[in-house]
Amino acid sequence: MTTQEESSQAIQDALVGSWMPLDYCDCLKRERSAHACRELANEVFVMLVRPSSGDSLIWSFITPHEGGPEELLAFDGPTSSFVFTPEADRPWVPSVRLGSIDADHAELRLDDSKGRICLRVQSEDSLLNATLLAGKYALDPSGAVVEFNANGAVEGLAGHTRFSILTDFTEGFDNLDIVFLHNGGYDWSSDAFHYRWDGSELLLTHMDTTADPYVYQQGELIYRLQALLDQ
């Protein structure tokens, strides 16, 4: 017979890792746009779960703009989940109930909200990169092959070796999808591009600064990339 300690340890092991809301991840696949899916990440963007001593887990999360609380969750035998209830003098901190569904899915409940399914991810960057831009393309008009990799590397695009997708839609970045093309450590004034899918074409338009350093306007279409469907 499985003891409570064994059950706690098995669920603890299943929950340790990085997680993102499944509805947000599904939206990214469907829309191929971080901007279109932004509201699904406003409450929880990435959830982090680390092991602790005994029947407990260290739980935290971030939004696209800032970090959330970090709390110690205790194992609740009757529900086979890990829970946290804030003290009365911390009313702004949500109560938490976290349960395992399987190796790749967990259920998170904050306060009295409906349970939200989360997907295990290697990292938020790799998930975003792989879903939104990763792939091989033919550069118009030369036909040169360009590749965006899930690890954030760019191959075949002169002057750029890395890309970073914007998820924090604030201060002038609140109406367009933006990716930074750079060589490690991007400059907001020169490395920002609007990305947009038109069928199987990926269009990258340079974003120009205005008098306000955090307000951008679309400039010239710089790259037209045709996805190579046989990759």
Side-chain angles (χ1 to χ4, degrees):
M1 179 180 294
T2 302
T3 66
Q4 176 167 312
E5 181 178 355
E6 291 171 331
S7 177
S8 167
Q9 187 61 55
I11 298 172
Q12 185 180 46
D13 292 343
L15 289 172
V16 168
S18 299
W19 305 82
M20 295 177 71
L22 179 60
D23 54 0
Y24 176 66
C25 296
D26 286 344
C27 182
L28 293 175
K29 292 179 183 179
R30 182 175 63 253
E31 302 294 337
R32 303 199 80 171
S33 161
H35 182 265
C37 304
R38 65 196 183 283
E39 292 183 0
L40 292 172
N42 281 344
E43 185 178 43
V44 176
F45 177 43
V46 182
M47 178 176 70
L48 307 172
V49 183
R50 309 195 311 274
S52 185
S53 58
D55 289 348
S56 59
L57 289 170
I58 299 172
W59 172 89
S60 62
F61 72 89
I62 60 174
T63 72
H65 187 61
E66 60 188 356
E70 180 176 278
E71 305 296 347
L72 194 66
L73 275 57
F75 184 67
D76 180 54
T79 61
S80 297
S81 60
F82 284 81
V83 300
F84 166 78
T85 302
E87 297 176 357
D89 61 351
R90 302 174 68 204
W92 61 88
V93 178
S95 62
V96 181
R97 182 174 298 278
L98 180 63
S100 174
I101 298 174
D102 56 39
D104 294 314
H105 299 86
E107 183 181 49
L108 173 67
R109 292 179 183 269
L110 298 179
D111 292 328
D112 297 324
S113 64
K114 181 181 178 181
R116 195 172 186 192
I117 307 303
C118 296
L119 176 70
R120 182 185 296 279
V121 298
Q122 181 179 359
S123 71
E124 62 270 28
D125 287 340
S126 61
L127 186 284
L128 285 160
N129 294 344
T131 305
L132 297 178
L133 295 181
K136 291 184 178 180
Y137 305 84
L139 178 63
D140 181 78
S142 70
V145 175
V146 174
E147 184 170 5
F148 286 80
N149 295 285
N151 64 5
V154 181
E155 300 175 31
L157 200 59
H160 310 290
T161 60
R162 305 288 303 173
F163 72 99
S164 302
I165 297 171
L166 180 77
T167 55
D168 186 3
F169 295 99
T170 60
E171 296 205 63
F173 293 100
D174 55 356
N175 62 350
L176 288 171
D177 277 303
I178 288 180
V179 60
F180 297 98
L181 301 178
H182 56 96
N183 294 306
Y186 50 81
D187 185 332
W188 291 60
S189 66
S190 59
D191 298 332
F193 290 79
H194 168 50
Y195 69 91
R196 179 174 68 86
W197 284 90
D198 183 8
S200 60
E201 281 192 325
L202 176 62
L203 308 177
L204 296 172
T205 303
H206 189 252
M207 302 299 294
D208 294 326
T209 58
T210 63
D212 185 331
Y214 290 103
V215 175
Y216 286 70
Q217 59 186 0
Q218 282 188 264
E220 180 184 357
L221 176 65
I222 304 298
Y223 300 112
R224 182 183 294 271
L225 301 164
Q226 177 68 47
L228 297 176
L229 302 181
D230 61 346
Q231 55 186 295

